[in-house]
Amino acid sequence: MSLIVVGSVAYDGVETPHGKVDRMLGGACTYISLAASYFTSVEIVAVVGDDFAPEDTALLEGHGIGLAGLERVPGKTFFWQGVYSADMNDRTTLRTDLNVFADFQPELPAAYRSQPYLLLGNIQPALQRSVRAQMTRPLLVGGDTMNYWIQDYREELLATIAEWDFLLINDGEARMLSGESNLRKAASKIVQMGPRILVVKRGEHGAVLFSGDEMFFAPGFPLERVFDPTGASDCFAGGFAGYLAGQGIDAPSGKACSADLRRAVIYGSVMGSFCCERFGVDRFRTLTRGEIDERFQQFRRLTEF
Amino acid sequence: MSLIVVGSVAYDGVETPHGKVDRMLGGACTYISLAASYFTSVEIVAVVGDDFAPEDTALLEGHGIGLAGLERVPGKTFFWQGVYSADMNDRTTLRTDLNVFADFQPELPAAYRSQPYLLLGNIQPALQRSVRAQMTRPLLVGGDTMNYWIQDYREELLATIAEWDFLLINDGEARMLSGESNLRKAASKIVQMGPRILVVKRGEHGAVLFSGDEMFFAPGFPLERVFDPTGASDCFAGGFAGYLAGQGIDAPSGKACSADLRRAVIYGSVMGSFCCERFGVDRFRTLTRGEIDERFQQFRRLTEF
């Protein structure tokens, strides 16, 4: 039983106040699958060009990530370049070369279609929907989106998330999607759009889970130094869905109980926090499950009273 | 054993998206003392003019608040008028008439000087310091300040908070006071300035406690509707210090343990949240200790995992 992850595998150029890297492994699918791999078996569906480096393939394989759905086509891999502000709360995109990603039409290998868990990274809603349609009996489906799709592809996005069990978005996106500035009212409206599990990510302020009548607030982990926030939100998604998949959660039957969902939010927060400790995916080269569980306990100490 | 509260008693004119009130009871000392009165006996030190209404005196007396230190002088009571933005995250001051508050020289009645607990609302640091000097054997002293004193009265402020056990400020002020944008680094520097207990208030994102090696994160209570945020921060202070005073906390001896401080942060958050539910101090006309403890338990449900 695997978690299928669909999204971008990319190369990134990133500058933060702590340094500059011209080209390193990145992309939502990469971050999600690395984070999820600590909790469950993961298979990815993505596309790369013929420039995709063997050592990057090896990193994914080293985490046990199934690459049968990683399509390799002639051309260059998606490239993104950005620079962060001094406090790292804003970033400016300097360059986006879609390259082979421009024609990405995710096609699930036959063996993936009967898997129970699906996490859709931030890509065009119609593509996310086409992937969902290829699954034969999913137990838990969800994903991420962004302001661009909310503004310019609203109907397509609404049709897509109507078929999801969970949605992970940030607070600005939640307000944009719902038209409500109050977080609780925004959440009520979004849950009515389909996904009965909603996680609103609030950057350094943590994340909020809405599910039925339940709300759960997780703080952001107070890092002394954020090296590079790139991918933190995707790592949250990977930790969240990876933990639920690893527990064998069955959303439609209601088995995704409050305790599981709360723990999943904390594991998501843990993975997002580790991601920020090094440039790009570097933290995942050494990270152990033991360190993850230790930070999970630190979250308990940060919040219990 | 009482909590002594020093600060402004005022009339406010407030406009929020939910309505407009031309003149109502306000001021930091008022909000602090009303919130604290649910946990401990409270005595205030403040000044009002001869326009101060009998029904406002009655409200304070009705909460058992000692008014021996409420000076009445000829002239008008401090008046503040402001308007909030649509999302209520910003407010614009339209008018500030200091009136009798301009010459406020807080003088503690003799019986107050030997009390154990002192909470200094946001007034000029030199005045806060003069009050501290009038206390003969305080067990727990702390207070609030604001950006104006941090920028323009820095040395005076540093000399003042050096004598405090706790400091309550918002995140922008913490960054300004410390010169650090990272919250943990900011807290480390501020704790070295004197107050070994620091609470950083983050508005709708809650509050963070720093004490020794401990950190504790409390979420903001997710109200469906914020009527009027005026005074919420002061009510936080009142709930926080009022709870500690009610518990008989002795800071210098180290009796203010982690569990007490964490509960104090939650009670502060509870009182701040109730404050926002009605205009001005109106919520405190009907609020009961039972409702307070119920919301305390709701905070537990919002954060436990």
Side-chain angles (χ1 to χ4, degrees):
Chain A
M1 304 237 291
S2 291
L3 172 67
I4 309 300
V5 178
V6 184
S8 57
V9 172
Y11 284 114
D12 291 343
V14 172
E15 184 172 356
T16 82
H18 298 292
K20 185 169 186 285
V21 176
D22 289 334
R23 182 182 169 89
M24 61 186 179
L25 181 60
C29 181
T30 306
Y31 283 104
I32 293 171
S33 61
L34 284 169
S37 72
Y38 288 85
F39 304 95
T40 186
S41 71
V42 179
E43 321 274 347
I44 68 172
V45 176
V47 63
V48 292
D50 45 26
D51 60 343
F52 196 67
E55 61 265 31
D56 294 326
T57 306
L59 176 70
L60 299 173
E61 281 174 339
H63 281 73
I65 296 166
L67 303 183
L70 181 62
E71 197 184 354
R72 289 157 181 280
V73 300
K76 285 188 170 177
T77 301
F78 183 9
F79 181 76
W80 174 83
Q81 189 182 7
V83 58
Y84 286 84
S85 62
D87 65 3
M88 278 185 277
N89 285 327
D90 292 302
R91 73 179 188 192
T92 306
T93 291
L94 301 178
R95 194 167 152 187
T96 303
D97 299 338
L98 289 177
N99 297 329
V100 299
F101 192 70
D103 301 316
F104 182 44
Q105 292 289 338
E107 193 69 33
L108 300 194
Y112 287 16
R113 298 175 187 236
S114 57
Q115 292 301 322
Y117 305 112
L118 176 62
L119 178 48
L120 296 152
N122 167 35
I123 55 175
Q124 187 175 335
L127 295 183
Q128 293 176 319
R129 199 176 179 199
S130 81
V131 174
R132 168 68 182 78
Q134 294 171 47
M135 303 285 282
T136 54
R137 47 180 185 84
L139 296 181
L140 191 71
V141 174
D144 192 9
T145 190
M146 70 184 291
N147 50 5
Y148 176 63
W149 310 119
I150 295 171
Q151 278 184 316
D152 295 351
Y153 290 73
R154 187 174 175 85
E155 290 311 311
E156 188 179 311
L157 177 66
L158 290 177
T160 301
I161 66 172
E163 300 169 344
W164 291 5
D165 300 300
F166 66 88
L167 171 65
L168 311 168
I169 51 178
N170 71 36
D171 44 4
E173 292 160 356
R175 293 186 167 108
M176 187 185 285
L177 179 58
S178 65
E180 292 283 351
S181 64
N182 180 283
L183 190 64
R184 271 181 82 167
K185 289 186 187 171
S188 297
K189 283 202 175 177
I190 293 169
V191 167
Q192 284 167 18
M193 296 172 186
R196 67 173 190 79
I197 301 164
L198 170 67
V199 179
V200 177
K201 297 168 291 178
R202 305 200 286 182
E204 66 165 319
H205 296 299
V208 191
L209 165 74
F210 297 89
S211 174
D213 292 337
E214 296 254 349
M215 286 182 283
F216 171 63
F217 286 73
F221 189 78
L223 291 170
E224 283 242 24
R225 189 148 63 168
V226 172
F227 255 87
D228 174 12
T230 310
S233 175
D234 296 316
C235 290
F236 181 100
F240 176 82
Y243 175 76
L244 292 176
Q247 296 297 106
I249 297 301
D250 177 353
S253 79
K255 255 182 66 191
C257 73
S258 167
D260 283 322
L261 291 172
R262 287 165 182 245
R263 281 185 216 115
V265 168
I266 297 296
Y267 276 116
S269 305
V270 166
M271 301 312 288
S273 74
F274 278 121
C275 179
C276 297
E277 291 185 348
R278 297 282 184 282
F279 269 93
V281 301
D282 274 0
R283 189 62 181 87
F284 300 105
R285 298 185 196 280
T286 59
L287 184 68
T288 66
R289 179 62 195 253
E291 290 176 301
I292 291 168
D293 288 327
E294 191 180 326
R295 186 158 293 178
F296 182 92
Q297 293 304 330
Q298 289 175 319
F299 266 93
R300 204 182 286 288
R301 190 68 194 141
L302 287 175
T303 57
E304 69 186 356
F305 65 89
Chain B
M1 303 235 293
S2 291
L3 172 66
I4 309 300
V5 177
V6 184
S8 57
V9 171
Y11 285 114
D12 291 343
V14 171
E15 184 172 356
T16 82
H18 298 292
K20 185 169 186 284
V21 176
D22 289 334
R23 182 182 170 88
M24 61 185 178
L25 180 60
C29 180
T30 306
Y31 283 105
I32 293 170
S33 60
L34 284 170
S37 71
Y38 288 85
F39 304 95
T40 187
S41 71
V42 179
E43 321 274 347
I44 67 173
V45 177
V47 63
V48 293
D50 44 27
D51 60 343
F52 197 67
E55 61 264 32
D56 294 326
T57 306
L59 176 70
L60 299 173
E61 282 174 340
H63 281 73
I65 296 166
L67 303 183
L70 180 63
E71 196 183 354
R72 288 158 182 278
V73 300
K76 285 188 170 178
T77 301
F78 184 8
F79 180 76
W80 174 83
Q81 189 183 7
V83 57
Y84 286 85
S85 62
D87 65 2
M88 277 183 278
N89 286 327
D90 293 303
R91 74 178 187 191
T92 306
T93 291
L94 301 178
R95 193 169 153 186
T96 304
D97 298 338
L98 289 178
N99 298 330
V100 300
F101 192 70
D103 300 316
F104 182 42
Q105 291 289 340
E107 194 69 33
L108 300 195
Y112 288 17
R113 297 175 187 237
S114 58
Q115 292 301 321
Y117 305 113
L118 176 62
L119 178 47
L120 296 152
N122 167 36
I123 55 176
Q124 187 175 337
L127 294 184
Q128 293 176 319
R129 198 175 180 201
S130 81
V131 174
R132 168 69 182 79
Q134 294 171 48
M135 302 285 283
T136 54
R137 48 179 184 82
L139 296 181
L140 191 71
V141 175
D144 193 10
T145 189
M146 68 183 294
N147 51 5
Y148 175 64
W149 311 119
I150 295 171
Q151 278 184 316
D152 294 352
Y153 290 73
R154 187 175 176 83
E155 290 312 310
E156 188 179 311
L157 178 66
L158 290 176
T160 301
I161 66 172
E163 300 169 343
W164 291 5
D165 301 299
F166 66 89
L167 172 65
L168 311 168
I169 51 179
N170 72 36
D171 44 4
E173 292 160 357
R175 293 185 167 108
M176 186 185 285
L177 179 57
S178 65
E180 291 283 351
S181 64
N182 179 285
L183 190 65
R184 271 180 83 166
K185 288 186 187 169
S188 297
K189 283 203 174 174
I190 292 170
V191 167
Q192 285 166 18
M193 296 173 185
R196 67 174 190 77
I197 301 164
L198 170 67
V199 179
V200 178
K201 297 167 291 177
R202 306 200 285 182
E204 67 164 321
H205 296 299
V208 190
L209 166 74
F210 297 88
S211 173
D213 292 337
E214 297 255 347
M215 285 181 284
F216 171 64
F217 286 71
F221 189 78
L223 291 171
E224 283 241 24
R225 189 149 62 167
V226 172
F227 255 86
D228 174 13
T230 309
S233 175
D234 295 316
C235 289
F236 181 100
F240 176 82
Y243 175 76
L244 293 176
Q247 295 298 106
I249 298 302
D250 177 354
S253 78
K255 255 182 68 190
C257 74
S258 168
D260 283 322
L261 291 172
R262 287 165 182 245
R263 282 185 216 115
V265 169
I266 297 296
Y267 276 115
S269 305
V270 166
M271 301 313 287
S273 74
F274 278 121
C275 178
C276 297
E277 291 184 348
R278 296 282 184 283
F279 269 93
V281 301
D282 274 359
R283 189 63 180 85
F284 299 106
R285 299 185 196 280
T286 59
L287 184 68
T288 66
R289 180 62 195 254
E291 290 176 301
I292 291 168
D293 287 327
E294 191 180 326
R295 186 158 292 178
F296 182 92
Q297 293 304 329
Q298 288 175 320
F299 266 93
R300 204 182 287 288
R301 190 65 194 144
L302 288 175
T303 57
E304 70 185 355
F305 64 89

